[in-house]
Amino acid sequence: LSLHDALPICFPVTITKLTSRGNINLASTENSLAGTITVGSSGSVTINNSMSSLLGNFSGVTAGGVADLNVAMAGDLVIGSKGNIYQSSVTDILNIGGSSSFFATTTALQPANASGVINLGNSNNHFGGVVAAKGTSIFIRGNSGIQLGDLVATSPNTLTISAVGNIDQQVGTSIISVS
């Protein structure tokens, strides 16, 4: 067997692990990322997915480039999904220092119609910047205060924000939750 021979993959890939001391930009809405997505980055991260997105640990990285949950991801986070956006387990943590945007829409982009559920229910999540989201149902929980940006939940009575600290709204944004 040489290094040039192709090896068949006989099992489904269930984890997409991305680690960078810089930015991560997977902006194509045709990306097909099955299974759990984990990220360690010192920069900003954009991930769009043509299917539901299962989020694992999202954090910063050490100077050596190793993902570390004790370090917040310094840049902004944008997750777009043509399906639902969930945390893959109760132990997975989002530790984000910048702003965070989550779009569960028909195109995985913000200006489209909501089409999926956003459930980021781990009480250890940390959102250091403004949090924006658009989906049919939104549940976001954090271990400190949360500053809300534009939020749109299109199903009746399905917007839930839970924080240990204050919940504030950024000036000039709107929160839409149908009743």
Side-chain angles (χ1 to χ4, degrees):
L1 182 68
S2 76
L3 292 176
H4 301 288
D5 292 335
L7 294 174
I9 296 178
C10 301
F11 54 91
V13 176
T14 59
I15 296 177
T16 300
K17 184 176 182 180
L18 306 165
T19 305
S20 171
R21 289 176 41 197
N23 297 326
I24 297 172
N25 186 11
L26 304 179
S28 171
T29 58
E30 298 309 312
N31 293 331
S32 183
L33 304 173
T36 302
I37 303 166
T38 63
V39 171
S41 176
S42 293
S44 293
V45 174
T46 297
I47 299 173
N48 288 328
N49 198 356
S50 65
M51 55 180 45
S52 289
S53 297
L54 291 172
L55 307 183
N57 290 318
F58 277 58
S59 68
V61 296
T62 64
V66 176
D68 184 346
L69 282 174
N70 294 312
V71 178
M73 193 180 89
D76 298 334
L77 172 65
V78 178
I79 301 292
S81 178
K82 290 183 183 177
N84 301 316
I85 300 173
Y86 288 108
Q87 287 184 272
S88 70
S89 80
V90 296
T91 60
D92 290 320
I93 298 169
L94 303 177
N95 188 0
I96 312 302
S99 65
S100 301
S101 300
F102 304 94
F103 306 117
T105 64
T106 55
T107 65
L109 301 173
Q110 190 273 339
N113 292 326
S115 65
V117 170
I118 299 169
N119 187 339
L120 307 174
N122 187 321
S123 62
N124 290 314
N125 289 334
H126 173 75
F127 300 101
V130 175
V131 178
K134 184 174 190 177
T136 56
S137 172
I138 299 171
F139 176 46
I140 298 173
R141 181 183 284 171
N143 67 359
S144 59
I146 296 178
Q147 185 176 27
L148 302 176
D150 290 321
L151 295 177
V152 178
T154 60
S155 293
N157 305 312
T158 60
L159 175 61
T160 304
I161 306 296
S162 176
V164 173
N166 295 332
I167 299 174
D168 297 312
Q169 182 178 6
Q170 183 182 38
V171 174
T173 63
S174 61
I175 299 172
I176 300 169
S177 177
V178 298
S179 57

